[in-house]
Every structure is written in structure tokens, then in C-alpha cells.
Amino acid sequence: MQPGRGPGRRLRWAIASAALLAGCSESPPSLHVAGGDAGRGKAAIERYGCPACHTIPGIPGYGANVGPPLGKLASRAYLGGVLPNLPHNLVRWLQDPPAVAPRTVMPRLGVSEAEARDVAAYLYSLH
Ligand code: HEC
């Protein structure tokens, strides 16, 4: 069989197309954060000093690169590489990252649940 031809190649195409179609037809999970206020979230992000580690659009910082940039968080599949990216998980992560991923560098900063909802609303509003 010539390389790049035959069933192997067709199978790879089928898998790639199926993955693509699944990605397109799957309705995006709702990233609405109940009770979250993006404006208050932005203020909380500045208060807690998140930009010391993360680059976050709309918030002045120094191009920090300790944690991942948060500008496209809404389209990321997992939080901290461990939790599916859904509103209740983000609210949980923001309150206590080491409880979710014990070896993470992101510290527990004392973010309350209400503040975490606001911060999540802000982060999900970025695209
Ligand atoms: C000391 C540095 C540090 C601070 C301060 C910090 N983070 Fe993080 N953050 C990290 C690191 C490192 C990760 C990657 C976690 C991992 O993969 O274990 C992370 C992960 C995240 C994630 C998950 C992103 C993803 O794609 O997995 C979010 C959301 C997040 N941080 C938001 C915040 C917010 C909001 C604040 C402020 C309340 C904050 N962080 C403060 C270091 C920090």
C-alpha cells in the first residue's frame, strides 16, 4: 500500500471529520455564572492581585506568565488540567485551588464564594 493512501488514511480522515463534526454540533456548555457580576469580578481580580501571575485582558499587569493567560478561559476544556471547565468548577477552583490540585502553584487566596462567582463571570466574559 502506498503511504498516505488506503484505509489507514481514510480512517484517519473519518476520525478527524467525526471529531470536527462533534465539536461543531455539540452545543457549548452554558458558561453563565448564577449571581456573578463581571464588574465586581474585575475589581476583585485587581484586589487579589491575580495579575501577578496571570495575564488578564482588561486588567493592567506586567505580562505575568506564572499561570496560564486567562483571556480565552471560556474556550478551555479543563481548569488546572483537572476539572472540566464549567461554572461550578471554576467557582470551586477560585476559592481553593490546592483542594482541587494539591500540587498547584496557585495559592488559596481567601476568595469567597460570592467573589468567586463575580470573578468567574468576568473571566467567562472574555473572548
Ligand atoms: C502565585 C501565582 C498565582 C496567583 C496569585 C493566581 N494564580 Fe491562578 N493559576 C496559577 C497557576 C500556576 C495556575 C495553573 C494551575 C495548574 O495547572 O495547576 C493557575 C490556574 C488558574 C486558573 C485555571 C486556568 C486554566 O486554564 O487551567 C484560573 C481560572 C485562575 N488561575 C484564576 C486566577 C485568579 C482569578 C486569581 C486571583 C484571584 C489567580 N488565578 C491567582 C497561579 C496563580
Side-chain angles (χ1 to χ4, degrees):
M1 198 193 302
Q2 278 177 281
R5 290 195 170 262
R9 187 165 183 246
R10 250 179 275 140
L11 186 62
R12 282 198 299 279
W13 264 107
I15 292 169
S17 319
L20 209 67
L21 284 173
C24 293
S25 59
E26 205 175 277
S27 53
S30 169
L31 296 181
H32 175 75
V33 186
D37 179 292
R40 284 197 310 249
K42 188 177 179 192
I45 286 171
E46 290 178 319
R47 210 164 53 241
Y48 281 105
C50 318
C53 290
H54 294 280
T55 293
I56 309 173
I59 300 190
Y62 313 98
N65 201 22
V66 179
L70 299 180
K72 290 194 174 143
L73 185 71
S75 58
R76 204 157 303 153
Y78 290 95
L79 301 166
V82 290
L83 280 181
N85 185 5
L86 293 168
H88 64 280
N89 283 338
L90 180 54
V91 168
R92 187 171 151 212
W93 173 268
L94 292 171
Q95 290 177 89
D96 194 353
V100 176
R103 300 189 65 189
T104 185
V105 167
M106 180 164 160
R108 182 180 179 165
L109 293 162
V111 176
S112 73
E113 186 181 341
E115 288 168 326
R117 287 183 183 283
D118 294 341
V119 169
Y122 181 76
L123 294 178
Y124 280 151
S125 76
L126 305 171
H127 291 289

